[in-house]
Amino acid sequence: MTSAAQPAPLPAVPPGVHPFPHAHLLGIEGLKPWEIGYLLNEAEHWVELSRSAHKRDERLASLTQINAFFENSTRTLLSFEIAGKRLGADVVNMSVQSSSMKKGETLLDTALTLNAMHPDVIVIRHDASGAVALIASKVDCPVLNAGDGRHEHPTQALLDALTIRRRKGRIEGLKVAICGDILHSRVARSNFHLLAALGAEVRAVAPPTLMPVGIERFGVTAFTDMNAGLEGADVIMMLRLQRERMAGAYLPSEREYFHFYGLTAKRLATAGDNVLVMHPGPMNRGVEIESQVADDIARSAITEQVEMGVAVRMACLDVLTRARRGVDGWEARV
């Protein structure tokens, strides 16, 4: 553990209740607090394995994992590939460049094609919200959402929560400020659901043009003033400006954005003394975050988030494939 504090217990699974009864992981919304806690507890085991000299566990041996990424990715794709291989799975990556959808094939036909290959688990990233759920409804194996449009990115929220818990010892009661391009961020949406479920006080900090209408329905407090939103925060989670999803002029310039909403050392001083700085990556230095802050080893957990991502994805692959492996999902790790 990075934190010296004894971690507070996560919500316990009620007696007689299955710890994770879902066939797929399509989002955080709708998950019970103890289901989220169960996945986080499972991930703890894989953190230690990944840090050991022998990083292999063969429980997914003979299973086929397809990573179907219809949207470009570096961190998430590599993380899922490493996670699958460390569990012994046969991992096949399908990138957007090799997809037949580039030749006019429909998403439904692509789903049927993938299913005909009898995979044991499919990891999907797509630029359209709801596309992953559509594919999940047409295949005979577990599906993990690696990000769909503006909808959700569940494993990112789980790895963020694991990082926070290991560094802070708890999630309940923490003040978490999520800052930046919230309008286009599936990372923000998944984190809103997860952090609220585990009892954090969540703030959304963004320019008015990048703040979703009706954001209060997520149970968060909205701020358009960066300094006010950061005041007393325990965790600051910066978001990337998603230019590829912006169809209009949301910002005057990146320089002006950094002036008002960039995380600088001076602005960081308005937060708590032991504030934790996070970013899902890729970072735009000098746009969302100052290099001095991003590289502050005492406060920044950005590289640790990447490490936790592998552990979380190993846990999700393990839990979702247990039924196919004949493992009793009521029990913890075998």
Side-chain angles (χ1 to χ4, degrees):
M1 284 253 177
T2 305
S3 173
Q6 181 66 30
L10 291 163
V13 180
V17 173
H18 196 291
F20 198 84
H22 309 282
H24 311 289
L25 180 60
L26 304 180
I28 298 297
E29 184 178 14
L31 294 185
K32 305 296 185 185
W34 59 82
E35 294 169 351
I36 296 170
Y38 180 73
L39 292 178
L40 294 178
N41 284 335
E42 290 294 294
E44 287 284 1
H45 168 73
W46 301 116
V47 174
E48 302 312 316
L49 180 93
S50 293
R51 290 179 174 179
S52 67
H54 181 72
K55 296 179 173 62
R56 294 277 293 187
D57 182 295
E58 299 296 327
R59 68 186 59 197
L60 266 60
S62 80
L63 269 62
T64 301
Q65 171 187 331
I66 296 179
N67 295 330
F69 277 53
F70 301 96
E71 184 180 53
N72 287 328
S73 165
T74 300
R75 287 163 182 76
T76 306
L77 176 58
L78 186 59
S79 182
F80 268 112
E81 182 177 5
I82 291 173
K85 288 181 176 179
R86 285 186 180 169
L87 291 170
D90 296 320
V91 182
V92 180
N93 292 334
M94 188 187 84
S95 68
V96 62
Q97 288 81 8
S98 63
S99 168
S100 292
M101 292 184 70
K102 286 289 186 180
K103 304 174 184 178
E105 184 176 71
T106 67
L107 182 61
L108 178 59
D109 284 333
T110 298
L112 296 174
T113 298
L114 292 174
N115 193 53
M117 297 177 187
H118 301 292
D120 297 290
V121 60
I122 305 177
V123 181
I124 303 172
R125 187 182 185 97
H126 201 284
D127 61 1
S129 300
V132 178
L134 175 62
I135 294 177
S137 70
K138 302 298 180 182
V139 300
D140 302 321
C141 68
V143 169
L144 283 87
N145 184 359
D148 63 327
R150 301 185 188 182
H151 176 229
E152 281 218 45
H153 195 346
T155 57
Q156 180 67 48
L158 287 164
L159 73 88
D160 290 340
L162 186 62
T163 303
I164 293 170
R165 183 170 181 260
R166 289 175 67 89
R167 289 290 288 262
K168 291 292 187 180
R170 62 188 174 95
I171 293 174
E172 185 176 8
L174 292 179
K175 297 178 177 66
V176 182
I178 302 177
C179 314
D181 186 2
I182 291 172
L183 180 64
H184 302 100
S185 179
R186 56 198 176 203
V187 172
R189 283 161 178 75
S190 287
N191 268 295
F192 289 159
H193 292 306
L194 187 150
L195 293 169
L198 295 187
E201 177 188 314
V202 187
R203 306 168 182 177
V205 185
T209 54
L210 295 177
M211 185 76 76
V213 175
I215 192 170
E216 293 79 10
R217 71 182 185 275
F218 290 101
V220 305
T221 304
F223 291 84
T224 54
D225 182 281
M226 184 75 163
N227 291 333
L230 297 187
E231 186 175 356
D234 299 297
V235 179
I236 299 174
M237 188 181 299
M238 301 304 296
L239 300 173
R240 179 178 66 88
L241 277 179
Q242 299 190 38
R243 289 292 192 183
E244 71 276 13
R245 302 189 194 279
M246 297 183 186
Y250 288 86
L251 302 168
S253 69
E254 290 185 349
R255 181 177 179 180
E256 185 170 343
Y257 178 82
F258 181 70
H259 176 73
F260 287 102
Y261 292 95
L263 187 61
T264 63
K266 181 178 179 181
R267 188 162 275 141
L268 194 62
T270 64
D273 292 337
N274 298 312
V275 65
L276 185 67
V277 175
M278 305 175 71
H279 193 302
M283 287 185 291
N284 293 312
R285 293 171 182 260
V287 178
E288 303 125 20
I289 190 167
E290 188 177 60
S291 289
Q292 180 183 347
V293 176
D295 300 331
D296 183 344
I297 59 174
R299 290 181 167 179
S300 174
I302 295 170
T303 56
E304 188 175 344
Q305 288 174 265
V306 178
E307 180 189 10
M308 294 305 111
V310 176
V312 159
R313 285 152 185 154
M314 290 176 75
C316 292
L317 290 167
D318 173 26
V319 170
L320 287 176
T321 58
R322 285 179 183 172
R324 300 180 78 81
R325 294 182 281 127
V327 176
D328 187 353
W330 287 77
E331 301 298 331
R333 295 175 306 275
V334 294

